[in-house]
Amino acid sequence: MKMLKVEQVAKELQLSVRTVRRLIEEGVIPVHRIGRSVRVSEDDLKRYIASCRQV
């Protein structure tokens, strides 16, 4: 499982790091906390992106 840093998630979503951190704090994007580090799994990021889709 590949884990992404907050900065990498922001780049992937084309959002600011601040916005991604807010989404994490609100519990919208699930994270793994390893010590003081925060990581987002690629699978969780894909699920988040899929949940944002509107038809």
Side-chain angles (χ1 to χ4, degrees), residues 11-40:
K11 185 176 180 180
E12 185 73 27
L13 296 176
Q14 297 179 0
L15 297 172
S16 69
V17 171
R18 185 176 181 177
T19 300
V20 172
R21 289 192 187 279
R22 183 178 49 79
L23 291 171
I24 290 169
E25 287 175 20
E26 293 172 355
V28 177
I29 298 176
V31 296
H32 299 268
R33 296 190 187 275
I34 304 164
R36 294 177 61 186
S37 300
V38 175
R39 298 290 187 267
V40 177

